[in-house]
Amino acid sequence: MDAQTTWIMLAAGLVAAVIGAIGGLARDRAPLAWHAYLPWNGMAFGGVAIALVAAVHLATLFRAA
């Protein structure tokens, strides 16, 4: 992967993590609403995992250059 793709992955991971966190808070506020049944914890975890992998990849790209 090149640096541009990795930056896009980092941004997408951070956005997914933030949306997952906001969704988790909304689930706590209204536990019987339609959005309470969506997997917000999984989305937040996936976003953090993608952001972490992208950050490590960026570090290796910059170290190699």
Side-chain angles (χ1 to χ4, degrees):
M1 275 190 300
D2 59 341
Q4 182 179 9
T5 306
T6 308
W7 280 110
I8 292 170
M9 275 184 55
L10 180 65
L14 291 176
V15 167
V18 168
I19 290 173
I22 291 170
L25 292 174
R27 175 183 28 212
D28 293 340
R29 191 169 178 189
L32 296 177
W34 65 270
H35 55 76
Y37 299 104
L38 297 176
W40 297 114
N41 292 336
M43 186 173 184
F45 177 78
V48 169
I50 291 171
L52 180 63
V53 168
V56 170
H57 190 260
L58 276 175
T60 58
L61 283 176
F62 290 144
R63 189 170 27 145

